[in-house]
Amino acid sequence: MERVVKTLELEPLYQIKISCPLCEEEFQTSRVRPSLKKAIRTDSDFCAYYKNENPDFYVVRVCPHCGFTSTEHSTVQLSDQQNKLFNNKIGNRWQSREYSGHRNWEEALETYKLGLLCAQVIGEKERVIASLLQHIAWMYRYQGNEEQELRFLKFSLDSYIRVYELEGVGANNAKLLYLIGELHRRTGNFNEAVRWFSRVINDTKIMDAAMIRASREQWAVLREQMLAKDIQLPEEMQDASSS
C-alpha cells in the first residue's frame, strides 16, 4: 500500500508590525521569507531576479493611516518641521490605501514613488533617496521599459554623486564608487565610468576585494563597448589589462 506524503510549502510572505514614525499608529506590512530570498541572477548594478516573490516589491512601508512612506533605512524619528512639511504636501490629501498583503508590479512601483515623494518632501538622507530612485529604475527594467529605466538610472546616478560629495568616501565605501562607475557606464558616460572604476582598482586604501574584482570586470566590459562604438580609449585603457 502506497502512502502519499504531502510536502507543506511555506507561504512566501509573512507579516511584520511597524510603528509609523509620523502618526505612531501601528500597521502591518509584508516581507519575503529569508529562506526564499536567494536570487537566480543579479545584474552588475545589483538588480536581482527571483523565481517567486521578489523581495524588492516589499522594501517600502506605507502607513495606511496617514500615508507616511519609508524603508528600514529611513529616518526613525521626524522633527516637527518634517511633520509639518509632510502634512502640508501629502498628509492633508491622503486617502487611505492598503499595501500590507501581496503586491503586484504596479502596486510595488506605487510604493516606491510614494516613498520617493515622502523622502523628497521631508528632506530625507540622500542615500535613501538615491536607493529609491535606483529601485524605481529596476522596477522599469523588470518590465522592459528601457526609456523609463534609463531616466531613473540617471536620477539615481546624480543622487549617488551627491552622496559622495556629502559624505566623501572611506576605505570601506568602495561599493559607492563602483556603483557610480557602473551607472555612468549604463547611462553612456563612458569616460566618467573609466574614472570611477579606476579609483576602485588603483586606490591602495580600498581593500574590498569583491568591489575591486567587479570594477575590473566592468572595466573590461566598458573597454569592449568603447571599442565597438569606435570611441577613443583614454590613456589608462590603451593596454588591454585594467591595471
Side-chain angles (χ1 to χ4, degrees):
M1 181 177 177
E2 292 184 2
R3 291 173 56 198
V4 177
V5 179
K6 291 185 177 180
T7 303
L8 293 177
E9 291 188 6
L10 288 174
E11 285 292 323
L13 300 179
Y14 68 99
Q15 297 272 304
I16 61 171
K17 194 171 285 187
I18 302 294
S19 179
C20 177
L22 189 126
C23 72
E24 299 183 351
E25 292 281 350
E26 286 193 339
F27 65 95
Q28 289 191 321
T29 190
S30 292
R31 301 289 296 270
V32 175
R33 293 189 184 279
S35 60
L36 301 177
K37 281 187 175 182
K38 188 175 180 180
I40 55 176
R41 67 183 176 91
T42 304
D43 290 340
S44 53
D45 63 348
F46 312 117
C47 176
Y49 300 81
Y50 300 85
K51 185 177 179 181
N52 297 307
E53 287 284 357
N54 187 334
D56 282 345
F57 281 26
Y58 301 93
V59 166
V60 181
R61 307 159 170 183
V62 183
C63 175
H65 306 288
C66 70
F68 187 75
T69 307
S70 60
T71 75
E72 62 182 17
H73 300 295
S74 300
T75 299
V76 176
Q77 191 167 9
L78 302 179
S79 67
D80 291 342
Q81 178 65 12
Q82 287 174 315
N83 282 350
K84 184 177 179 181
L85 287 168
F86 173 82
N87 285 320
N88 286 343
K89 296 286 187 179
I90 301 171
N92 292 337
R93 293 187 287 274
W94 173 251
Q95 295 181 344
S96 185
R97 276 170 269 178
E98 187 61 63
Y99 295 99
S100 62
H102 168 79
R103 294 176 186 172
N104 59 29
W105 178 86
E106 289 82 3
E107 290 165 336
L109 181 63
E110 283 175 16
T111 66
Y112 275 112
K113 290 192 173 181
L114 278 170
L116 177 63
L117 179 61
C118 284
Q120 291 173 329
V121 164
I122 69 168
E124 183 57 271
K125 298 184 290 289
E126 194 65 42
R127 270 187 182 271
V128 173
I129 292 174
S131 178
L132 289 166
L133 288 164
Q134 188 181 15
H135 276 81
I136 292 171
W138 294 348
M139 294 299 296
Y140 283 116
R141 186 180 303 171
Y142 294 140
Q143 291 292 302
N145 188 333
E146 294 182 4
E147 181 181 352
Q148 288 298 322
E149 177 197 343
L150 183 61
R151 177 172 172 246
F152 278 93
L153 283 179
K154 289 177 178 177
F155 290 151
S156 67
L157 171 58
D158 290 342
S159 191
Y160 279 122
I161 290 173
R162 284 194 291 275
V163 172
Y164 172 76
E165 291 170 345
L166 289 166
E167 298 182 7
V169 64
N172 297 324
N173 217 353
K175 187 175 181 179
L176 176 62
L177 296 179
Y178 165 80
L179 187 54
I180 291 173
E182 177 60 12
L183 293 179
H184 272 304
R185 187 189 71 78
R186 285 177 173 268
T187 55
N189 304 319
F190 293 154
N191 285 315
E192 281 297 301
V194 171
R195 188 165 72 90
W196 289 90
F197 287 143
S198 180
R199 292 189 61 181
V200 181
I201 295 167
N202 296 318
D203 189 337
T204 56
K205 296 190 297 294
I206 291 176
M207 306 297 288
D208 188 330
M211 289 301 99
I212 293 171
R213 183 172 61 252
S215 294
R216 289 181 183 278
E217 289 171 355
Q218 294 312 103
W219 173 292
V221 170
L222 178 59
R223 188 176 189 279
E224 292 306 310
Q225 280 184 295
M226 295 177 77
L227 288 171
K229 293 177 180 289
D230 201 25
I231 297 172
Q232 176 69 38
L233 295 178
E235 186 175 337
E236 61 264 48
M237 264 192 170
Q238 296 296 326
D239 184 0
S241 63
S242 56
S243 63

